[in-house]
Structure formats: structure tokens, C-alpha cells
């Protein structure tokens, strides 16, 4: 019984530390693989709306245009586009 408690006292913090270290390492790797911080992006997601559990509508700004797309499990479908509106319009 004592041997079990000693193993528990030693191994439980070790497993917790390994889990914590893995999460921190994954965060660092994700930050590095995400590209340079503050880099200019060519597109911007303006708004998204969920229509059903497997279907979303999204407005994306790209190349001076606002593009309406449908996002489903099968992929993206372009529904329409318009020039980018200014805030005062």
C-alpha cells in the first residue's frame, strides 16, 4: 500500500508536468507555423452566420471586393460579390 502511494505522489505530478509541457510546446509550434505576426493579409473575414449545423454564410473582403460564400462540409461556394463599402455609406 505504501509503495502505491509513493508511486502516486511521484508519477502524478510528472504526468501533469508532461501534459502542461506538451500544451506549451504546441502553442509555440502553432505560433511559429502561423506565419509572421502582424503581417499584412490579403483577405479579411467580415462576418459569419450559421444557418444550420453544417452550413454557414460568410462575407470575406478580398481584392477590394466583399464576397459572400457558403461554407458547408462539402466546401465553399461563392454566392456573390460587391465592391467594399465605406463606413459612411
Amino acid at each position: 500500500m505504501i509503495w502505491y502511494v509513493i508511486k502516486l505522489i511521484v508519477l502524478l505530478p510528472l504526468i501533469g508536468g508532461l501534459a502542461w509541457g506538451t500544451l506549451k510546446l504546441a502553442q509555440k509550434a502553432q505560433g511559429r507555423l502561423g506565419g509572421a505576426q502582424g503581417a499584412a493579409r490579403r483577405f479579411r473575414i467580415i462576418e459569419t452566420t450559421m444557418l444550420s449545423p453544417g452550413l454557414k454564410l460568410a462575407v470575406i473582403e478580398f481584392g477590394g471586393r466583399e464576397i459572400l460564400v457558403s461554407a458547408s462540409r462539402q466546401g465553399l461556394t461563392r454566392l456573390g460579390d460587391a465592391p467594399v463599402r465605406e463606413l459612411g455609406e
Side-chain angles (χ1 to χ4, degrees), residues 10 13 19-20 22 27 31 33-34 36 38 50 59-61 73 75-76 79 89:
V10 170
W20 180 81
T22 302
Q27 276 182 336
L33 294 176
M50 183 173 290
V59 178
I60 300 171
E61 182 182 330
R73 291 184 179 103
L76 293 176
L79 301 175
E89 294 182 22

Side-chain angles (χ1 to χ4, degrees), residues 32-61:
R32 288 186 184 149
L33 294 176
Q37 297 297 327
R41 290 188 167 211
R42 296 182 54 158
F43 71 94
R44 182 171 64 106
I45 298 175
I46 297 172
E47 185 178 348
T48 62
T49 302
M50 183 173 290
L51 297 177
S52 67
L55 186 63
K56 283 186 182 181
L57 282 180
V59 178
I60 300 171
E61 182 182 330

Side-chain angles (χ1 to χ4, degrees), residues 4-24:
Y4 175 76
V5 173
I6 291 172
K7 285 195 316 187
L8 185 65
I9 290 172
V10 170
L11 291 178
L12 194 58
L14 181 66
I15 292 171
L18 287 173
W20 180 81
T22 302
L23 289 174
K24 288 297 179 186

